[in-house]
Amino acid sequence: MSIEYRIEKSRRRSLSIHIENDGSVVVKSPLGTPAIYIEQFVQKQTKWILKTQEKIQRQRELALSMGPLSEKDLKAVKEKARFIIPMKVEHYAQLLGVTYGKISLKLQKTRWGSCSRDGNLNFNYLLVLMPEEILDSVVVHELCHRKHMNHSKKFYEEIESVFPDYKRCDRWLKQNGASYLMRIK
Ligand SMILES: [Zn+2]
């Protein structure tokens, strides 16, 4: 099975493979790497590449079935988020016994939430389009960073103490989250 790919050479130290949103394969390579090494590197990753392409294909199909989000849609989603997310944060902060700072709603492409050292919280407002427990799981995740500023075993135990369904929700988000981002033009 041979895989088509594009090579991008630059001053870097090692080879890496990226699958773009359209499923195409890009190999990032150090200058002067012989083509045969690159080919072997890609060959070894065939299984992973095919699996990733399949996953992206599924996400694109899901995005298509949900339809694109216009500027107007996004405004409405953000408004809904402005109402729902602070309520969720307040609820789980009380359960966990933690404080928090400012809540910001953004349309980030790479993360669903974040928590700064001083307790300011960021959430991707597309979360309110997902099943409610997915939003809950992200809120709980970020608030647990008020106790543990890391992803240690203790951190996940803390999450599961108030949100036992966390692992399933996290898996769901990893599998389906990208579809929501693909709905934005
Ligand atoms: Zn985290």
Side-chain angles (χ1 to χ4, degrees), residues 46-63:
T46 300
K47 227 171 134 183
W48 175 81
I49 292 170
L50 293 175
K51 224 174 87 191
T52 307
Q53 284 176 327
E54 254 169 51
K55 185 177 155 193
I56 291 171
Q57 184 56 29
R58 269 201 313 274
Q59 287 168 339
R60 286 166 66 83
E61 277 162 16
L62 178 60

Side-chain angles (χ1 to χ4, degrees), residues 99-136:
T99 60
Y100 54 93
K102 237 176 50 198
I103 301 172
S104 306
L105 303 175
K106 292 182 181 165
L107 202 57
Q108 293 158 305
K109 285 261 171 191
T110 51
R111 61 213 305 200
W112 296 107
S114 63
C115 175
S116 73
R117 289 213 167 264
D118 38 11
N120 292 324
L121 303 164
N122 268 318
F123 294 100
N124 188 316
Y125 56 82
L126 294 183
L127 282 166
V128 298
L129 293 173
M130 300 177 190
E132 195 175 354
E133 68 269 23
I134 307 301
L135 167 61
D136 287 40

Side-chain angles (χ1 to χ4, degrees), residues 141-142 145 150-151 155:
H141 178 118
E142 299 314 332
H145 279 316
N150 52 45
H151 293 118
F155 168 76

